[in-house]
Amino acid sequence: MSCFVEIDGSYLEGGGQALRNALTLSVILNRPVRVVKIRANRPKPGLSHQHLHGVNLLRDISNAEVNGNTLHSTELTFTPRTIAGTMYKVDTRTAASITLIYQMVMPVLLFSGTSSRIDVTGGTNVSFAPQVEYMQQVLQPNLKRFGVSFDLKVLHHGFYPRGNGRCMLDLEPLRSLNAVQLNDFGQFRSVKGAAYYAGRLPKCIAFDMQHSAEREIHRLWPDHECNIQVFKHPPDRARDNGAGIILTALTSTGCVVGAATVGEKNIDGHLIGSNASCELAGYIKNEICVDTHMQDQLIIYMALASGCSRIRAGALTKHTRTAIYVAEQMAGVKFIIEYGNFGQTLISCEGIGQRNAYM
């Protein structure tokens, strides 16, 4: 087992983050990995349906040899071979997060030799995962700075507990990732967003979300534009009940930070709108360039990029610290953390300049 890099899945966040990042980097770097204590800090440790689908998808993409890819397994070994970009289809048959599956495979397919399409059925808007709109409106412009090009289409929205959502992700490969400088907030320009509802839920829920969010932003910045649209997903695009809000703030330097909240049981539109707008307002007031939910998602790209990347975030999350731990173990990079005023944190990393062997 000495040829395997061993990753402790119970480190800090202790959920799926360590597993996802370890396998992603394993494929890109062609380094066999052994993940132990998988999701040890969760009520039901080991591989869930969602994680198992991600593992098996990466297995297929990289023609890997895998041991331990069974439901509830707490240990897994993964030996990748080649990366094959093509058409892949996954049906989770649950409300498992589509965006977390994409988060796992996107960096890998950037280093394939051809365009890829990943068709996934599951949950588009579920708790404890990025909403699909966040991926489109916040992740996409941030990854564009690294040189990443992708197109995400939502064919059907899916909510907890049934899922039934379906998305299509088209991704172009690249030769290498650019280093990025996301440390100059500039001047706050505007807020835009959308409050949505679906199924049998009344439209007043979405209007409550809209009014609460706009009221908070206008209270703090009465002279700035705040445009939040209300809409219902039609029955042919969303069969079940669901509601939520996505807000983004834009700055003069091109920073895009976001806040998204999805409704659960006993949906309170005013509370959902207030929570999302208060979160976003915190980023604006403290001039945060990378929001709380984006921090950990950029760590892999920083580690692989050509040159030194710097991002200005808020307090580091456990997800981010876990992503840093895995990247340092797998890629041999070093992340530098500097603490500033108003809870700001500057995260820096000299990337390894990973090249696409298939281009």
Side-chain angles (χ1 to χ4, degrees):
M1 300 296 292
S2 59
C3 62
F4 288 91
V5 179
E6 184 166 305
I7 298 296
D8 182 355
S10 68
Y11 184 81
L12 287 178
E13 185 263 338
Q17 182 82 20
L19 174 76
R20 286 191 296 270
N21 286 28
L23 297 193
T24 297
L25 287 169
S26 171
V27 176
I28 295 170
L29 303 174
N30 198 30
R31 297 192 70 184
V33 66
R34 178 173 179 245
V35 186
V36 299
K37 302 177 185 177
I38 295 171
R39 300 182 69 243
N41 297 348
R42 292 296 181 262
K44 295 181 180 179
L47 295 176
S48 69
H49 286 283
Q50 172 183 284
H51 303 96
L52 188 56
H53 282 295
V55 169
N56 289 338
L57 179 55
L58 277 185
R59 175 201 61 194
D60 295 343
I61 290 171
S62 64
N63 189 29
E65 179 182 334
V66 188
N67 291 299
N69 54 328
T70 57
L71 200 61
H72 309 310
S73 172
T74 58
E75 186 172 315
L76 179 139
T77 60
F78 191 94
T79 305
R81 295 186 177 92
T82 57
I83 301 175
T86 182
M87 168 73 178
Y88 294 95
K89 190 169 185 176
V90 176
D91 185 354
T92 69
R93 302 183 185 278
T94 66
S97 170
I98 292 173
T99 58
L100 288 181
I101 291 174
Y102 284 153
Q103 191 179 113
M104 200 169 182
V105 302
M106 264 183 52
V108 168
L109 292 171
L110 291 175
F111 290 92
S112 71
T114 185
S115 302
S116 302
R117 169 170 286 183
I118 311 100
D119 179 348
V120 184
T121 300
T124 59
N125 303 77
V126 294
S127 301
F128 308 112
Q131 294 195 58
V132 68
E133 293 86 1
Y134 180 90
M135 188 172 175
Q136 293 171 316
Q137 298 173 31
V138 186
L139 179 64
Q140 190 167 42
N142 276 282
L143 288 191
K144 189 174 182 180
R145 291 174 177 259
F146 288 90
V148 176
S149 174
F150 74 84
D151 180 56
L152 175 60
K153 292 184 175 65
V154 183
L155 306 181
H156 203 278
H157 283 81
F159 309 101
Y160 182 83
R162 293 178 61 183
N164 293 322
R166 186 183 175 196
C167 295
M168 200 84 74
L169 177 71
D170 290 294
L171 190 68
E172 295 297 324
L174 43 64
R175 293 187 183 277
S176 62
L177 290 162
N178 304 324
V180 303
Q181 304 299 315
L182 271 166
N183 54 359
D184 181 7
F185 184 82
Q187 299 295 316
F188 165 50
R189 293 297 193 211
S190 63
V191 169
K192 65 178 182 178
Y196 64 85
Y197 66 108
R200 298 180 304 278
L201 295 180
K203 64 181 178 182
C204 63
I205 287 177
F207 282 112
D208 289 346
M209 289 188 285
Q210 177 199 43
H211 294 155
S212 292
E214 287 183 343
R215 183 169 59 246
E216 177 65 13
I217 298 301
H218 284 144
R219 181 182 70 83
L220 295 168
W221 296 280
D223 298 327
H224 285 69
E225 179 185 357
C226 179
N227 183 13
I228 302 172
Q229 301 293 317
V230 169
F231 65 92
K232 179 177 182 177
H233 293 310
D236 62 334
R237 298 286 298 275
R239 288 192 292 272
D240 301 315
N241 292 345
I245 191 169
I246 170 75
L247 304 176
T248 58
L250 311 177
T251 80
S252 60
T253 55
C255 291
V256 181
V257 293
T261 306
V262 62
E264 298 180 3
K265 292 182 180 179
N266 303 317
I267 296 171
D268 183 333
H270 286 298
L271 183 61
I272 292 173
S274 177
N275 286 344
S277 58
C278 286
E279 179 185 338
L280 191 73
Y283 301 139
I284 298 168
K285 286 188 288 187
N286 295 321
E287 299 189 344
I288 301 299
C289 301
V290 175
D291 66 62
T292 299
H293 311 288
M294 186 58 52
Q295 289 178 21
D296 62 287
Q297 297 188 61
L298 298 187
I299 296 301
I300 280 182
Y301 298 94
M302 295 172 70
L304 297 172
S306 299
C308 183
S309 295
R310 297 179 182 85
I311 64 174
R312 187 171 301 282
L316 297 192
T317 65
K318 285 185 178 180
H319 278 85
T320 300
R321 292 186 181 276
T322 299
I324 288 173
Y325 155 72
V326 174
E328 290 184 340
Q329 293 290 108
M330 293 294 299
V333 293
K334 178 64 177 176
F335 280 83
I336 306 298
I337 310 299
E338 301 173 59
Y339 299 95
N341 298 326
F342 311 111
Q344 292 181 349
T345 307
L346 183 65
I347 309 171
S348 305
C349 177
E350 183 72 36
I352 63 173
Q354 181 71 15
R355 299 287 174 176
N356 190 331
Y358 304 94
M359 294 181 69

